[in-house]
Amino acid sequence: MKIGIDIDDTIFDTRKYIKVCWEEYHDKYGITRYTKEIPSTINTGWDDPDITRFWDLYRDKLCGIVQAKKDASISLIKLRNNGFGLKIVTARPFYQR
């Protein structure tokens, strides 16, 4: 059996680092219609210029600083050792895979 596993907030603790980057972005660019809290549309607001600019500026940085969740590798190894095929599912650009 094969299992599809998402990267963000499943294997890696992405949300924690998005929050840090969003606060930096908010302070640096003076975004007035958003607070320092991550907007609920952070992953769906592609027609929003602030969110689009955030991802354009921080996507690569996030890929470099995000850390795996504690014991994620142990869980993946156990699944593989028990005969499961693992497939990573992501909407990330090809160069980040």
Side-chain angles (χ1 to χ4, degrees):
M1 177 186 294
K2 293 184 182 187
I3 297 175
I5 301 172
D6 185 40
I7 293 174
D8 297 315
D9 294 323
T10 303
I11 298 173
F12 292 93
D13 198 5
T14 313
R15 197 74 154 163
K16 173 179 157 184
Y17 295 95
I18 288 174
K19 182 168 177 34
V20 170
C21 289
W22 179 261
E23 287 179 5
E24 178 184 304
Y25 174 72
H26 182 275
D27 291 345
K28 187 173 183 177
Y29 293 98
I31 307 304
T32 57
R33 60 194 177 101
Y34 288 113
T35 66
K36 287 188 177 185
E37 293 301 312
I38 301 171
S40 61
T41 57
I42 195 74
N43 289 319
T44 59
W46 304 114
D47 58 344
D48 182 316
D50 287 322
I51 290 175
T52 300
R53 183 170 58 169
F54 168 78
W55 285 114
D56 288 346
L57 293 170
Y58 287 93
R59 182 179 287 117
D60 288 341
K61 179 179 180 176
L62 281 162
C63 286
I65 64 172
V66 172
Q67 296 179 354
K69 287 185 172 185
K70 183 181 177 197
D71 299 331
S73 62
I74 293 169
S75 299
L76 295 173
I77 290 167
K78 284 183 180 181
L79 286 167
R80 188 185 66 205
N81 288 344
N82 283 297
F84 291 93
L86 304 175
K87 298 289 183 181
I88 302 299
V89 178
T90 184
R92 290 178 183 225
F94 186 74
Y95 74 93
Q96 292 179 341
R97 299 177 191 186

